[in-house]
Amino acid sequence: QVQLVQSGAEVKKPGASVNVSCKPSGYIFPGYYIHWVRQAPGQGLEWMGWINPDSGGIKYAQNFQGRVTMTRDTSISTFYMELRRLKSDDTAIYYCATDTWNEWHFDIWGRGTLVTVSS
Amino acid sequence: QSALTQPPSASGSPGQSVTISCTGTSSDVGSYNYVSWYQLHPGKAPKLMIFGVSKRPSGVPDRFSGSKSDNTASLTVSGLQAEDEADYYCASYAGSKLLFGGGTKLTVL
C-alpha cells in the first residue's frame, strides 16, 4: 500500500515559519485530496485543511486562515504545509493524510512531523 | 474545547464489550453519514477503524462496529483484547470542514 513520507522534526522560535513536506511513496490518484491534521501534546486531533493534488485548490480550517498555506510540487509529487507566525501552542505533531474515497475520512496517514516551538 | 464530545475514558475487561459515544449537533453528526473513527497508539500514525458511520476498512477486525442515532455516533468494541488499548477519536464532516472529538482513552483492565 502507498505510504505518505513526511519530513523530519523541526524546532522553531516563536514568530518563525515551518514548512512540512509529505510525499507519497507510490502513485496516488490525483483526485485524492491531501489533508493536514495536527495533535498538540495531550490534546486531540485538529483538522487544518486540504489541498486538491490535481487543481491545487485548497480549503483551510477557519482557525488557521491567514497563517497556513498548503501547496504541491507536481514535478516531484510532494505536498507542503507552511505555518507562519508560530506560537508555543503550535507545538504539535503534524500529519498529512489522504482520503481515497473522497468521503471525508483518512485511510492513509503519514507518520507525523513533530514541530516544537520554543524560545 | 472540541466540537464533538467524547467521554475522556472508557474501560473493560478482556472479552467484554465497550461503547464509546461521540455527540455532535444537527449540523455535523446529525446531518451527514460521514462519521469516522480513528485509533491512536503512542508513536504511531492514526489508524482508520470505521468510516461512513459503520463501514470497516479491510483488515479491521469485525469486533469493531459503528452506529449513529440522531446527533450521536458510537463505536463499539466487542471481545476486548489487550491490543485494543489506545486512544480513539471520532470525526464528522460538517459542511466543508471536518470536526474531531476530544478523544477517549480506552483501557483494557
Side-chain angles (χ1 to χ4, degrees):
Chain A
Q1 188 184 17
V2 173
Q3 297 179 348
L4 298 176
V5 181
Q6 296 187 227
S7 49
E10 303 258 17
V11 179
K12 296 291 183 181
K13 293 193 182 301
S17 299
V18 69
N19 207 347
V20 180
S21 68
C22 171
K23 180 177 175 61
S25 62
Y27 178 78
I28 279 189
F29 182 65
Y32 298 155
Y33 290 13
I34 296 291
H35 295 251
W36 292 88
V37 175
R38 76 176 185 179
Q39 183 178 29
Q43 304 296 313
L45 298 172
E46 183 177 21
W47 177 73
M48 300 180 69
W50 56 251
I51 181 168
N52 179 333
D54 196 18
S55 68
I58 49 85
K59 172 69 175 179
Y60 301 141
Q62 192 170 7
N63 284 352
F64 299 97
Q65 290 274 3
R67 278 210 307 144
V68 71
T69 301
M70 296 176 189
T71 57
R72 91 267 196 236
D73 185 334
T74 55
S75 68
I76 56 173
S77 301
T78 300
F79 302 89
Y80 302 93
M81 187 283 299
E82 180 191 37
L83 190 61
R84 300 179 293 279
R85 301 191 300 278
L86 290 168
K87 303 168 285 187
S88 57
D89 57 7
D90 290 318
T91 294
I93 299 174
Y94 289 78
Y95 296 100
C96 60
T98 192
D99 172 10
T100 65
W101 290 59
N102 277 344
E103 290 185 350
W104 288 85
H105 62 264
F106 310 137
D107 44 351
I108 303 174
W109 291 72
R111 297 200 65 171
T113 296
L114 175 61
V115 175
T116 302
V117 183
S118 174
S119 54
Chain B
Q1 188 172 357
S2 299
L4 306 179
T5 301
Q6 297 181 234
S9 63
S11 63
S13 300
Q16 288 186 332
S17 293
V18 64
T19 297
I20 300 171
S21 62
C22 170
T23 301
T25 69
S26 58
S27 298
D28 39 71
V29 174
S31 286
Y32 305 98
N33 286 327
Y34 291 156
V35 176
S36 52
W37 289 88
Y38 300 90
Q39 179 190 67
L40 272 71
H41 280 118
K44 296 183 70 176
K47 179 181 179 182
L48 177 68
M49 305 302 285
I50 295 287
F51 67 97
V53 176
S54 60
K55 301 172 189 174
R56 263 188 325 275
S58 173
V60 172
D62 59 6
R63 302 184 293 103
F64 291 84
S65 61
S67 62
K68 187 183 83 165
S69 176
D70 296 328
N71 297 336
T72 298
S74 298
L75 172 72
T76 298
V77 186
S78 305
L80 272 174
Q81 297 183 5
E83 60 262 34
D84 299 334
E85 184 162 296
D87 293 330
Y88 291 85
Y89 288 85
C90 63
S92 175
Y93 177 66
S96 76
K97 62 183 177 183
L98 189 74
L99 303 176
F100 282 101
T104 298
K105 182 173 183 57
L106 175 60
T107 300
V108 180
L109 302 171

